[in-house]
Amino acid sequence: MATQQQQSRFLSLPTELIIDVVSYLSDDCPALVSLACTCRRLQPLAEELIYAVIELRSTDDLHDLLNAFSRRFERIAAVRTLKILYEYHPSLATTVEERNAFNACLGEMKGLKDWHVESPYDNYKWTEGGNEWVEQDMESFRTALEKVSYSLGQSLQVDLGLAQLNKLILHSHGATSDFWDLGGFHCLFRHPSLRYLHVSCLSLPADIPELAQFSSTTPLTTLIFDECDIKPSSLRCILATPKSLKHLTLGENVFNIHGDRGITPRLSRAPHASLQALLPVAHSLESLTHYDPIYSTLPDPERPVELKLDGDGMRNFPLLTYLECDPCSFLYRGIILAPTLAPPNLATLRIHRPRRQVGNFFEELPDFTPYTRLGSLNTLEFVQPTSIKLPTHLAECVCEAERLRERHAIGYKLHRHGVNLKMYMEIHESGGLIPPYLHGEPTPKTVCLYDAAEVGFSRKIEDNLPDKSIVDKNVEEPLPETDQLGKFDIICLKNEVRMAIFHETLIDDTDMFQHHMEFRHYLIHDMVGED
């Protein structure tokens, strides 16, 4: 009797308060299930949270989920986050009927905001049933997106499925290859609510005339092309559609070159057309990243030739403060090496070395002179990829005394021009994995191993008294500025590098003790001054 009285008191509260109380259980699915079973009034409130996030790692879950949807239609509209991440298994082809039935529910997911799709046939399995994924699953996705995308003379129908979609990640492939053609998926670029779009292994056509009528209509702010075949002409069609695109990643096909496509750099081979393609977003773009395969086609990628570009270059990109590329990109050779064409407010320049390119920024840095001509630049970053994980071995390479002194001397010269030099190591846990990185795959760890501002330039160099070579913050008199490093400075930096790599990289628990003891050995080894 007391339970019924307490329950009635709870249900007598205003609906807003009941919803607020139930929301506290959002991370406790068993409690929500129990609550949904108590009464008809609490069931829809609990199920709004139970079905808010659906992550499908296996097709085995489809049968029960479809039954749940059929018993209460409102459950479909409750979905806010959907992740279709089926794992591959040999009998996957037998699940086509259930997959199609679930895909048909997309048209009723009126509250869906975050959608992540990965083909189970990725990683070269498309010959084992990938054609059905492309011709049926992908076609269902396209149909649902097409229905809600802007059409000429029509306004947004908010009661349609996917009408509230804000974020979409789509990793797929072709029917018989590792690249899929845009085709009718041009509707992606005229979606009325989409703000974040990440697509991989997409091959763009030479032109997309269907987008011509949708200039400056969409709310898209972030666009990521990942391992894609990007043509300047169709890129311009796409970039003309957002009202205010802020973040753009141009990831060309750098790694997937062993299947039906070889090395096909597009943008740097047509630098003038590529710059023209960027012009529609000149007024709004804040960050731009380019991953370029052209380095592997140049006779000497270590010494790329400057490109002579006409016009204003990127002087009319007033909001662009972050630029990332490699030294062979048209953005570097045509813009950075010709500073009069650079964005007027560029604050951070990140230069990454392609993973398969020979050479090492930690052994030799490019000529620093061009960076001093970029008047707005305040941070210069270099990113060097590696597959080495051992903290001690990597620290020995990064902090070799003479290289470190040369690096710090360059950092000082840049410091005198108001630019801080930072250097990162991009550590790949598995050297065999390549982009696009799929769900569950370890992504590279980018670890800062040198920061000129952190190391500083105020110190006394007294190698005979190593405890005096570091900055004493209690000394009242300011220490003199110098581009030199003492022996003790190098020892400290080497150990800081070891600690950074040790703590930031993924180390298996079984190896943790061994790495820790190795780190301690090297720490003691340096501190006692042994060579």
Side-chain angles (χ1 to χ4, degrees), residues 247-263:
H247 310 289
L248 174 62
T249 296
L250 300 172
E252 294 191 75
N253 180 27
V254 177
F255 290 95
N256 292 283
I257 57 175
H258 301 297
D260 60 331
R261 292 175 186 267
I263 302 171

PDB file of all heavy atoms in Angstrom, residues 247-263:
ATOM      1  N   HIS A 247      35.413  24.587 -41.419  1.00  0.00           N
ATOM      2  CA  HIS A 247      36.523  23.647 -41.314  1.00  0.00           C
ATOM      3  C   HIS A 247      36.482  22.679 -42.491  1.00  0.00           C
ATOM      4  O   HIS A 247      35.462  22.015 -42.709  1.00  0.00           O
ATOM      5  CB  HIS A 247      36.455  22.882 -39.996  1.00  0.00           C
ATOM      6  CG  HIS A 247      36.286  23.775 -38.797  1.00  0.00           C
ATOM      7  ND1 HIS A 247      37.294  24.589 -38.334  1.00  0.00           N
ATOM      8  CD2 HIS A 247      35.208  24.010 -38.000  1.00  0.00           C
ATOM      9  CE1 HIS A 247      36.859  25.274 -37.293  1.00  0.00           C
ATOM     10  NE2 HIS A 247      35.595  24.951 -37.070  1.00  0.00           N
ATOM     11  N   LEU A 248      37.594  22.574 -43.214  1.00  0.00           N
ATOM     12  CA  LEU A 248      37.644  21.750 -44.421  1.00  0.00           C
ATOM     13  C   LEU A 248      38.907  20.892 -44.404  1.00  0.00           C
ATOM     14  O   LEU A 248      40.012  21.411 -44.206  1.00  0.00           O
ATOM     15  CB  LEU A 248      37.631  22.636 -45.667  1.00  0.00           C
ATOM     16  CG  LEU A 248      37.814  21.934 -47.015  1.00  0.00           C
ATOM     17  CD1 LEU A 248      36.670  20.957 -47.271  1.00  0.00           C
ATOM     18  CD2 LEU A 248      37.907  22.963 -48.149  1.00  0.00           C
ATOM     19  N   THR A 249      38.737  19.574 -44.612  1.00  0.00           N
ATOM     20  CA  THR A 249      39.860  18.654 -44.769  1.00  0.00           C
ATOM     21  C   THR A 249      39.789  18.035 -46.152  1.00  0.00           C
ATOM     22  O   THR A 249      38.797  17.380 -46.492  1.00  0.00           O
ATOM     23  CB  THR A 249      39.821  17.543 -43.702  1.00  0.00           C
ATOM     24  OG1 THR A 249      39.980  18.119 -42.406  1.00  0.00           O
ATOM     25  CG2 THR A 249      40.943  16.542 -43.937  1.00  0.00           C
ATOM     26  N   LEU A 250      40.828  18.257 -46.933  1.00  0.00           N
ATOM     27  CA  LEU A 250      40.929  17.703 -48.278  1.00  0.00           C
ATOM     28  C   LEU A 250      41.872  16.502 -48.221  1.00  0.00           C
ATOM     29  O   LEU A 250      43.073  16.623 -48.435  1.00  0.00           O
ATOM     30  CB  LEU A 250      41.447  18.758 -49.248  1.00  0.00           C
ATOM     31  CG  LEU A 250      40.595  20.026 -49.384  1.00  0.00           C
ATOM     32  CD1 LEU A 250      41.304  21.070 -50.229  1.00  0.00           C
ATOM     33  CD2 LEU A 250      39.227  19.695 -49.979  1.00  0.00           C
ATOM     34  N   GLY A 251      41.325  15.363 -47.880  1.00  0.00           N
ATOM     35  CA  GLY A 251      42.119  14.146 -47.797  1.00  0.00           C
ATOM     36  C   GLY A 251      42.044  13.383 -49.103  1.00  0.00           C
ATOM     37  O   GLY A 251      41.061  12.695 -49.377  1.00  0.00           O
ATOM     38  N   GLU A 252      43.088  13.514 -49.917  1.00  0.00           N
ATOM     39  CA  GLU A 252      43.117  12.786 -51.181  1.00  0.00           C
ATOM     40  C   GLU A 252      43.540  11.336 -50.941  1.00  0.00           C
ATOM     41  O   GLU A 252      43.882  10.934 -49.828  1.00  0.00           O
ATOM     42  CB  GLU A 252      44.071  13.470 -52.163  1.00  0.00           C
ATOM     43  CG  GLU A 252      43.604  14.854 -52.584  1.00  0.00           C
ATOM     44  CD  GLU A 252      44.405  15.411 -53.756  1.00  0.00           C
ATOM     45  OE1 GLU A 252      44.182  14.942 -54.888  1.00  0.00           O
ATOM     46  OE2 GLU A 252      45.259  16.295 -53.526  1.00  0.00           O
ATOM     47  N   ASN A 253      43.559  10.563 -52.014  1.00  0.00           N
ATOM     48  CA  ASN A 253      43.868   9.142 -51.914  1.00  0.00           C
ATOM     49  C   ASN A 253      45.374   8.944 -51.748  1.00  0.00           C
ATOM     50  O   ASN A 253      46.117   8.825 -52.715  1.00  0.00           O
ATOM     51  CB  ASN A 253      43.366   8.425 -53.176  1.00  0.00           C
ATOM     52  CG  ASN A 253      43.649   6.953 -53.146  1.00  0.00           C
ATOM     53  OD1 ASN A 253      43.757   6.365 -52.075  1.00  0.00           O
ATOM     54  ND2 ASN A 253      43.773   6.345 -54.307  1.00  0.00           N
ATOM     55  N   VAL A 254      45.819   8.898 -50.484  1.00  0.00           N
ATOM     56  CA  VAL A 254      47.244   8.767 -50.178  1.00  0.00           C
ATOM     57  C   VAL A 254      47.634   7.311 -49.948  1.00  0.00           C
ATOM     58  O   VAL A 254      48.707   6.873 -50.366  1.00  0.00           O
ATOM     59  CB  VAL A 254      47.605   9.604 -48.931  1.00  0.00           C
ATOM     60  CG1 VAL A 254      49.071   9.421 -48.560  1.00  0.00           C
ATOM     61  CG2 VAL A 254      47.299  11.079 -49.177  1.00  0.00           C
ATOM     62  N   PHE A 255      46.768   6.529 -49.319  1.00  0.00           N
ATOM     63  CA  PHE A 255      47.135   5.182 -48.890  1.00  0.00           C
ATOM     64  C   PHE A 255      46.479   4.070 -49.697  1.00  0.00           C
ATOM     65  O   PHE A 255      47.078   3.016 -49.887  1.00  0.00           O
ATOM     66  CB  PHE A 255      46.785   4.993 -47.408  1.00  0.00           C
ATOM     67  CG  PHE A 255      47.652   5.791 -46.480  1.00  0.00           C
ATOM     68  CD1 PHE A 255      47.247   7.036 -46.026  1.00  0.00           C
ATOM     69  CD2 PHE A 255      48.879   5.314 -46.078  1.00  0.00           C
ATOM     70  CE1 PHE A 255      48.038   7.780 -45.179  1.00  0.00           C
ATOM     71  CE2 PHE A 255      49.691   6.052 -45.231  1.00  0.00           C
ATOM     72  CZ  PHE A 255      49.275   7.287 -44.783  1.00  0.00           C
ATOM     73  N   ASN A 256      45.246   4.254 -50.140  1.00  0.00           N
ATOM     74  CA  ASN A 256      44.537   3.191 -50.848  1.00  0.00           C
ATOM     75  C   ASN A 256      44.918   3.200 -52.325  1.00  0.00           C
ATOM     76  O   ASN A 256      44.158   3.620 -53.193  1.00  0.00           O
ATOM     77  CB  ASN A 256      43.014   3.377 -50.686  1.00  0.00           C
ATOM     78  CG  ASN A 256      42.577   3.135 -49.268  1.00  0.00           C
ATOM     79  OD1 ASN A 256      42.480   1.992 -48.828  1.00  0.00           O
ATOM     80  ND2 ASN A 256      42.333   4.206 -48.529  1.00  0.00           N
ATOM     81  N   ILE A 257      46.110   2.706 -52.591  1.00  0.00           N
ATOM     82  CA  ILE A 257      46.662   2.784 -53.956  1.00  0.00           C
ATOM     83  C   ILE A 257      47.040   1.402 -54.492  1.00  0.00           C
ATOM     84  O   ILE A 257      47.684   1.307 -55.535  1.00  0.00           O
ATOM     85  CB  ILE A 257      47.910   3.691 -53.988  1.00  0.00           C
ATOM     86  CG1 ILE A 257      48.960   3.186 -52.999  1.00  0.00           C
ATOM     87  CG2 ILE A 257      47.522   5.129 -53.681  1.00  0.00           C
ATOM     88  CD1 ILE A 257      50.259   3.952 -53.044  1.00  0.00           C
ATOM     89  N   HIS A 258      46.619   0.350 -53.808  1.00  0.00           N
ATOM     90  CA  HIS A 258      47.002  -0.990 -54.245  1.00  0.00           C
ATOM     91  C   HIS A 258      45.830  -1.756 -54.851  1.00  0.00           C
ATOM     92  O   HIS A 258      45.983  -2.899 -55.243  1.00  0.00           O
ATOM     93  CB  HIS A 258      47.578  -1.781 -53.064  1.00  0.00           C
ATOM     94  CG  HIS A 258      48.771  -1.121 -52.447  1.00  0.00           C
ATOM     95  ND1 HIS A 258      49.933  -0.916 -53.128  1.00  0.00           N
ATOM     96  CD2 HIS A 258      48.962  -0.608 -51.206  1.00  0.00           C
ATOM     97  CE1 HIS A 258      50.817  -0.313 -52.343  1.00  0.00           C
ATOM     98  NE2 HIS A 258      50.240  -0.101 -51.174  1.00  0.00           N
ATOM     99  N   GLY A 259      44.666  -1.147 -54.917  1.00  0.00           N
ATOM    100  CA  GLY A 259      43.513  -1.811 -55.493  1.00  0.00           C
ATOM    101  C   GLY A 259      43.307  -1.388 -56.934  1.00  0.00           C
ATOM    102  O   GLY A 259      44.187  -1.523 -57.795  1.00  0.00           O
ATOM    103  N   ASP A 260      42.122  -0.849 -57.203  1.00  0.00           N
ATOM    104  CA  ASP A 260      41.801  -0.468 -58.578  1.00  0.00           C
ATOM    105  C   ASP A 260      42.284   0.927 -58.920  1.00  0.00           C
ATOM    106  O   ASP A 260      42.108   1.386 -60.049  1.00  0.00           O
ATOM    107  CB  ASP A 260      40.284  -0.570 -58.799  1.00  0.00           C
ATOM    108  CG  ASP A 260      39.505   0.330 -57.856  1.00  0.00           C
ATOM    109  OD1 ASP A 260      40.016   0.574 -56.752  1.00  0.00           O
ATOM    110  OD2 ASP A 260      38.406   0.780 -58.217  1.00  0.00           O
ATOM    111  N   ARG A 261      42.872   1.642 -57.986  1.00  0.00           N
ATOM    112  CA  ARG A 261      43.358   2.990 -58.245  1.00  0.00           C
ATOM    113  C   ARG A 261      44.806   3.110 -57.784  1.00  0.00           C
ATOM    114  O   ARG A 261      45.173   2.663 -56.715  1.00  0.00           O
ATOM    115  CB  ARG A 261      42.513   4.038 -57.510  1.00  0.00           C
ATOM    116  CG  ARG A 261      41.098   4.154 -58.045  1.00  0.00           C
ATOM    117  CD  ARG A 261      40.277   5.114 -57.211  1.00  0.00           C
ATOM    118  NE  ARG A 261      38.895   5.106 -57.652  1.00  0.00           N
ATOM    119  CZ  ARG A 261      38.392   5.948 -58.541  1.00  0.00           C
ATOM    120  NH1 ARG A 261      39.156   6.872 -59.069  1.00  0.00           N
ATOM    121  NH2 ARG A 261      37.120   5.869 -58.897  1.00  0.00           N
ATOM    122  N   GLY A 262      45.602   3.750 -58.605  1.00  0.00           N
ATOM    123  CA  GLY A 262      46.976   4.012 -58.232  1.00  0.00           C
ATOM    124  C   GLY A 262      47.095   5.385 -57.597  1.00  0.00           C
ATOM    125  O   GLY A 262      46.151   5.921 -57.032  1.00  0.00           O
ATOM    126  N   ILE A 263      48.280   5.958 -57.709  1.00  0.00           N
ATOM    127  CA  ILE A 263      48.529   7.299 -57.156  1.00  0.00           C
ATOM    128  C   ILE A 263      47.940   8.327 -58.117  1.00  0.00           C
ATOM    129  O   ILE A 263      48.410   8.476 -59.249  1.00  0.00           O
ATOM    130  CB  ILE A 263      50.038   7.521 -56.981  1.00  0.00           C
ATOM    131  CG1 ILE A 263      50.613   6.439 -56.061  1.00  0.00           C
ATOM    132  CG2 ILE A 263      50.312   8.897 -56.420  1.00  0.00           C
ATOM    133  CD1 ILE A 263      52.121   6.431 -56.003  1.00  0.00           C
TER     134      ILE A 263
END
